[in-house]
Amino acid sequence: MPFSHHSHSGQFCTHASNTLEEMVQAAIARKMRVYALTEHMPRNAPEDLYPEEHLSPTDLPKLFTAFLTEAHRLRTIYASQITLLIGFESEYIRPNSLPLLRSLLTTHNAPHSPTPIDFFVGSLHHALTIPIDYSRELYEEAVRAAGGTHEALWARYFDEQHEMLAELRPVVVGHFDVVRLFAGVEAFERGAAANATEKKTNVPRRSAVEEAQHPTRNRWPPAVWRRVLRNLHFIRAYGGLLELNSAGLRKGLGEPYPGREICRAFLNMGGAFTLSDDAHGVAHVATHYAALLAFIDEMGIKEVCYLERAPASLSARDEGGKRKESSHEGGGSGGQGVVVRTVSVEEMRGWEFWEGLRDED
């Protein structure tokens, strides 16, 4: 019964593919039982549209409402086959993104609304208002805007992330360190050197994948790492879940988001994790989950969490029908319609989902 709390469809996201219903059908076919439909929230400035979005900002709220309407239709149709959570992925581009996000929650979660929102994923895709995970060219533009160094951009990204976390306290924090997607191994080599606490040895240079698989050092520069730890402590304090996002594996980073150092730090704080595929089409649904499970074992994570619609009487059951998961209330304004359930990794390993799963899945 693995789960995902983060997905997109080509019907409502121009850089994705397939219809929303095809995404749901793919999740059912992969034997997933909890799947979250989380299209991007609208943006309200023309300069924030991506190159392939031949729309205006006034079109996006209508498209978002159409998504919610379709998601609720699908939840009703497929209720006997899968638990669908309905939400969105946040955009924090500048401070005035916050009133727009809050208005979405107020409008759609008003009494008798036909399109209520269960939760949202708290993510950043921008720093200094420039997209940092869309293309290498835009990432490099953001580096220049930050002062010309990767380190300065990373620091700004985690500062803006902290602003978002402090204002919204999302129950699920999406791709925590996505800012590293286009950075390249050389930038992290510099961070590792800055963090070294003993004399450097003549270790041969390694590829980004090799370094990700067996990191010998903390790859984040000290000033950035302090911000990382500050944000992780904040998430842990309010009860948020850190998303283990398999898209990092799908995009060739050799590890999910977040990377090993961050996962170990959050685990040592007593932080809780959940799983997401961040699918942008049916080909991505539940992909690289075998590698994700291996990563979970490597990190020593013993339990993971998933969301469930409130009230608690809707709690999930294991495949024998007997409820075994523990539960607690989800923290933050991003968890208004959900509760958080916990399941051991050992129990999850026995679920039907994993049978016949290929390594590349």
Side-chain angles (χ1 to χ4, degrees), residues 5-6 121 172-175 241-245 257-258 274-276:
H5 297 83
H6 185 169
V121 179
V172 174
V173 180
H175 45 56
L241 305 178
L242 203 60
E243 171 191 77
L244 294 172
N245 185 317
Y257 304 118
T274 190
L275 310 183
S276 293

Side-chain angles (χ1 to χ4, degrees), residues 8 14 32 36 59 111 138 165 218 237 241 261 286 293 309 355:
H8 305 276
T14 54
M32 301 189 84
D59 296 322
L138 284 172
L165 293 169
N218 184 344
L241 305 178
E261 302 96 328
L293 181 60
R309 293 174 63 201
E355 295 179 5

Side-chain angles (χ1 to χ4, degrees), residues 36-39 64 67-68 85-89 117-120:
L37 308 176
T38 57
E39 302 292 4
F64 183 74
F67 151 64
L68 293 176
L85 300 174
I86 298 173
F88 62 88
E89 187 177 15
I117 293 167
D118 297 325
F119 81 110
F120 66 88

Side-chain angles (χ1 to χ4, degrees), residues 107-128:
T107 298
H108 292 285
N109 286 348
H112 311 299
S113 168
T115 53
I117 293 167
D118 297 325
F119 81 110
F120 66 88
V121 179
S123 300
L124 257 70
H125 302 94
H126 299 72
L128 297 161

Side-chain angles (χ1 to χ4, degrees), residues 49-292:
L49 296 176
Y50 289 105
E52 80 279 357
E53 288 184 301
H54 303 296
L55 302 165
S56 73
T58 58
D59 296 322
L60 296 181
K62 300 172 187 175
L63 188 65
F64 183 74
T65 299
F67 151 64
L68 293 176
T69 301
E70 175 66 357
H72 279 276
R73 185 185 75 85
L74 296 174
R75 176 144 77 184
T76 299
I77 291 174
Y78 294 101
S80 65
Q81 300 177 67
I82 193 168
T83 296
L84 294 178
L85 300 174
I86 298 173
F88 62 88
E89 187 177 15
S90 71
E91 299 285 356
Y92 183 74
I93 302 174
R94 56 183 64 82
N96 69 7
S97 301
L98 295 173
L100 176 59
L101 188 151
R102 291 193 177 105
S103 72
L104 293 174
L105 295 173
T106 299
T107 298
H108 292 285
N109 286 348
H112 311 299
S113 168
T115 53
I117 293 167
D118 297 325
F119 81 110
F120 66 88
V121 179
S123 300
L124 257 70
H125 302 94
H126 299 72
L128 297 161
T129 75
I130 301 169
I132 48 81
D133 66 335
Y134 181 79
S135 68
R136 187 173 301 278
E137 291 74 20
L138 284 172
Y139 174 83
E140 291 172 353
E141 180 182 333
V143 169
R144 292 190 293 272
T149 68
H150 296 280
E151 293 84 350
L153 175 61
W154 299 341
R156 183 58 182 258
Y157 169 87
F158 285 114
D159 282 345
E160 293 186 15
Q161 183 185 68
H162 187 260
E163 293 172 10
M164 181 274 292
L165 293 169
E167 290 288 340
L168 300 174
R169 303 188 177 203
V171 68
V172 174
V173 180
H175 45 56
F176 181 90
D177 58 349
V178 72
V179 70
R180 68 189 169 96
L181 175 60
F182 293 115
V185 67
E186 294 81 6
F188 281 99
E189 286 285 345
R190 290 194 294 272
N195 263 308
T197 57
E198 56 189 24
K199 292 182 179 180
K200 294 182 68 175
T201 58
N202 294 321
V203 178
R205 290 178 63 83
R206 304 191 293 175
S207 71
V209 170
E210 290 171 331
E211 179 63 25
Q213 290 172 342
H214 302 286
T216 56
R217 300 148 291 177
N218 184 344
R219 294 164 289 172
W220 295 96
V224 177
W225 185 243
R226 287 193 292 271
R227 290 168 165 85
V228 167
L229 294 178
R230 173 199 61 196
N231 293 7
L232 293 177
H233 277 294
F234 189 83
I235 295 165
R236 172 66 184 89
Y238 77 74
L241 305 178
L242 203 60
E243 171 191 77
L244 294 172
N245 185 317
S246 66
L249 293 160
R250 171 162 52 84
K251 295 183 179 184
L253 295 179
E255 58 189 343
Y257 304 118
R260 284 168 168 80
E261 302 96 328
I262 293 173
C263 285
R264 289 191 179 108
F266 196 56
L267 185 63
N268 289 338
M269 295 175 190
F273 298 88
T274 190
L275 310 183
S276 293
D277 58 22
D278 198 356
H280 282 65
V282 298
H284 301 158
V285 173
T287 56
H288 294 83
Y289 266 38
L292 190 60

